Structures are given as structure tokens and as C-alpha cells.
Amino acid sequence: METKIVAVDKENVRDEDLLEAAHIIRKGGLVAFPTETVYGLGANALDEEAARKIYEAKGRPSDNPLIAHIAQYSELEPLVSEIPEAGRRLMEAYWPGPLTLIFPKSGKVPYRTTGGLDTVAVRMPSDPVARALIRLAGVPVAAPSANTSGRPSPTEAGHVYEDMKGRIDMILDGGPVGIGLESTIVDVTGPVPMLLRPGAVTLEMLRETVGDVEVDPAVSGPVTEDRKPKAPGMKYRHYAPRAELILVEADESEEVRERQQGLQGKGKGNKNPAGDRVVDAITRKALEDLEKGMEVGILCSDETKDAYPEGAVIRSLGTRSRDETIAHNLFKALREFDDLKVDRIYSEGFSREHLGQAIMNRLTKAAGYHVLRV
Ligand code: TXA
Ligand code: MG
């Protein structure tokens, strides 16, 4: 199959540029399209055969359910058997936008789309290309991130082409996405809403809107027997670069902090001991690996990028004072390391506050929970 690429101008979306794409979706084909979070791989959410094609193109396990994307509120009701009050409040606050809600599903949604679950994930994206495409298709559009299963989600059309060329009918190229991390997922089917995947609608924002929100333990820790994630997709090693990724974080325990303060007191004059500890540890490890002839990548920030040794591939995600920039650049940087065929990547840790929760969730998963505390 030849994959057609169609450029669309996000600032000036014309229906005529999207008619062929909408037609492909209505006929059961696959079209990748930009959203404000990451690129999605779209198909008719009500067509079992189209959903099957998505799993095949991605190489995705079929128990991993898809998100149905809609363009108008009137499209929600046919998909769900109930709209809980918390869901209603969250929709009003954050749709259209980077928030996916889990509802009890109606009989209309095939189990192929929901991976056999009795619930359905629904999102109304804000990206103008996505919205126009869904509207013109006239059906809810099932869309996982448009990457091969297990690779970092695509934030540019070129990433989609790398993974999907020859496997899908069309890619709508609307340029780089805005956010760069997948949507926040909240399950509103229980008595208390539960955060299943952190994203740009942060936990603080959710709590401001609906009060109490629980967090699925799988959001912050590795999956174990008694810690199975509620979002089936969260159990796979995900967002993963081909190289081994090791996350290096400062140990902020009392004991270590006191020892550091003691050192400072003795005139070390160190303004950012935690950050420096991380830089020192990464530098030491990277030099050891370079010595062995390995290709080493370092994922860092503008604040530290000049401190690392020559010979390593150094990529800054931007300044630590702007979470949005770090989030925006993360998946692209992981893909670049793949292209450069590095053997091992060391990444600095970032703040877990606000959007940082999503950033660190993706980073720790990409690292397969391999975290070095220094
Ligand atoms: O930002 C996004 O959400 C992007 C863009 C394209 O909209 N889509 C996306 O889809 O990230 P995907 O398939 O890569 O991730 C969907 C996640 C998976 O972890 C899946 O397990 C979870 O949503 N999910 C879908 N339906 C669910 C359900 N009924 N219950 C619990 N989790 C569900
Ligand atoms: Mg995905």
C-alpha cells in the first residue's frame, strides 16, 4: 500500500483538503492526523474491521483499547450508557482538549474498539485539523498514537512516516504538535474519578474541577501482580527508545540532604548540590561507557547541557523553568537517539509537579523503571 502524505495548514484548515481523508475513514481505511497531544492513527471507531486494521498496522496487542475521538458533544451520547456527573464537569472544563474520559460503553461501540472492556475512552481534541477531519468523516474516530507499538509517540508527521509507511492509507501533515505528550486519562465510572494516565490536564487541575481524584498506583510505579494498571496500555514497556535508558535522579532523602548541607557548610559553595550530583554521576558513567567504545546519549536541560563530556550525544529538552518545553521535546529527542544508534542513554530527572507528573511518568516508563539515585 502506498501511504499518501497531504499537507494541511493548521491556521487555515480547508474542508476540501480533508475530504479524501474523511472518505478513507468512512470506507474503513486508516489515516494518521495531528492532534494537540501527539499524532493519532485514525479509523472508524464503530467499524470492527477498521479497528482490527489499526492493531495490525501498529503491531499492537488487541486487548489494548482505543480512544474514540469526537468533534461535538452530541456524538458522545450514542457511545456511552451513562454520563456520570464528574464526567460532565470535566468535559465542560477541558473539552475540547487533552483529556480522555472513560465512560460505561453503549451497545453501539464494538468490543474490538474497547479491547473487550465494557467501558469506552472518549476524547474531543482541540486541534483544528483533527476536529475538521472527525466532523467530515461523520463518525467517531478511534485513534491510538500513530507509532509502532512500543516506540515513542509521534510528535511530527515524519515520525509517523518512519513507523507507518506502506501500512496506512494517508498521513495528514499539520506540522509539529503543541503538547507532545498523550492526553490525560480519567476514569469516571467509579464513585471517585481516577487518574489513569497523567497529561497536560494536570492532577491539580482535575482536583480543582471535581474535588477528590484518586491516582492509579501504576501511574508512578512499576507494574506488579498487585499493581495492575487500569488503563491496559500502561502495562506495556512504552515510549521506549531502542537504547537502554537510565534515569538518574538526586536522592532527596533527609540523610543525603544533611550530608550535602554539611559539605556546603565546609565551604564547597555549591548552589545546586542535588543537580550537580546528577551531573557528576552521569558524567562519570558516560565516561566509563565511552571508554568501552559505546555510543552514549545524554538527555538533559539547558541549565546543564554544557557541563557534559565531549564524545557523548547531548540533547537538551529545554529550560527547567518551562515544563511545556520539556514535554514538547521529549519524544522527539528519544527518537533522535534511535536514529543516531546510541547504545545507552542517561537522562536527568525532572520535577514531578504539575505537568512534570506526566513527563516523569513517560520517562520512567521509557527507562523500564531503571532509576539510579545519587
Ligand atoms: O493524546 C492521546 O490520547 C492520543 C491522541 C492520538 O489522541 N491517543 C493515545 O492513544 O494516546 P493510545 O491508544 O496510544 O493510548 C490510549 C490509552 C491506552 O493506555 C489504553 O489502554 C487506554 O488509553 N484506554 C483506552 N480505553 C480504555 C478503557 N476503556 N479503560 C481504560 N483505559 C483505556
Ligand atoms: Mg500510544
Side-chain angles (χ1 to χ4, degrees), residues 197-318:
R197 179 174 76 180
V201 174
T202 64
L203 186 58
E204 292 82 358
M205 291 160 74
L206 297 168
R207 286 186 171 148
E208 202 166 291
T209 309
V210 287
D212 207 11
V213 176
E214 289 174 355
V215 180
D216 185 356
V219 164
S220 50
V223 175
T224 54
E225 263 310 299
D226 52 350
R227 209 196 242 182
K228 290 224 174 71
K230 303 254 173 350
M234 300 294 278
K235 72 173 175 275
Y236 301 104
R237 182 171 182 232
H238 220 176
Y239 322 111
R242 295 193 179 107
E244 178 190 15
L245 172 64
I246 300 170
L247 183 61
V248 183
E249 284 196 278
D251 184 339
E252 297 284 14
S253 67
E254 276 302 302
E255 191 195 325
V256 173
R257 219 178 335 200
E258 272 168 25
R259 195 165 66 226
Q260 283 301 123
Q261 274 161 2
L263 280 179
Q264 260 182 298
K266 289 189 189 104
K268 198 167 177 238
N270 190 339
K271 283 204 289 300
N272 181 12
D276 285 0
R277 248 164 33 232
V278 169
V279 172
D280 289 349
I282 292 180
T283 301
R284 204 170 50 244
K285 290 266 176 200
L287 288 172
E288 277 169 28
D289 292 346
L290 288 168
E291 189 86 356
K292 290 183 211 145
M294 292 169 75
E295 293 289 337
V296 180
I298 297 175
L299 206 51
C300 59
S301 53
D302 284 357
E303 286 76 4
T304 52
K305 64 174 194 251
D306 297 325
Y308 290 109
E310 268 177 46
V313 181
I314 299 161
R315 285 283 177 280
S316 169
L317 295 177

Side-chain angles (χ1 to χ4, degrees), residues 25 33 35-46 51 54-55 58 60 63-70 76 79 95 97-103 109-115 117 119-125 134 139-146 153 181-186 196-198 231-234 238-239 362:
I25 287 186
F33 61 97
T35 82
E36 68 278 23
T37 57
V38 298
Y39 271 76
L41 177 54
N44 181 350
L46 304 179
I54 288 185
Y55 290 111
K58 278 184 63 88
R60 174 172 178 146
D63 70 337
N64 192 354
L66 305 172
I67 299 172
H69 294 68
I70 58 174
L76 176 64
L79 302 178
W95 278 5
L99 175 67
T100 297
L101 296 170
I102 310 288
F103 296 102
V109 183
Y111 281 111
R112 182 76 87 164
T113 301
T114 68
L117 298 175
T119 51
V120 59
V122 187
R123 169 160 116 80
M124 187 190 288
I134 300 163
V139 291
V141 175
S145 49
S153 293
L181 298 179
E182 307 85 350
S183 61
T184 305
I185 303 180
V186 180
L196 307 188
R197 179 174 76 180
M234 300 294 278
H238 220 176
Y239 322 111
R362 304 310 192 272

Side-chain angles (χ1 to χ4, degrees), residues 37-39 153-157 159 175-177 180-181 327-328 331-332 335:
T37 57
V38 298
Y39 271 76
S153 293
T155 56
E156 303 176 356
H159 300 163
V177 300
L181 298 179
H328 182 264
F331 288 150
K332 184 182 170 134
R335 277 183 181 259

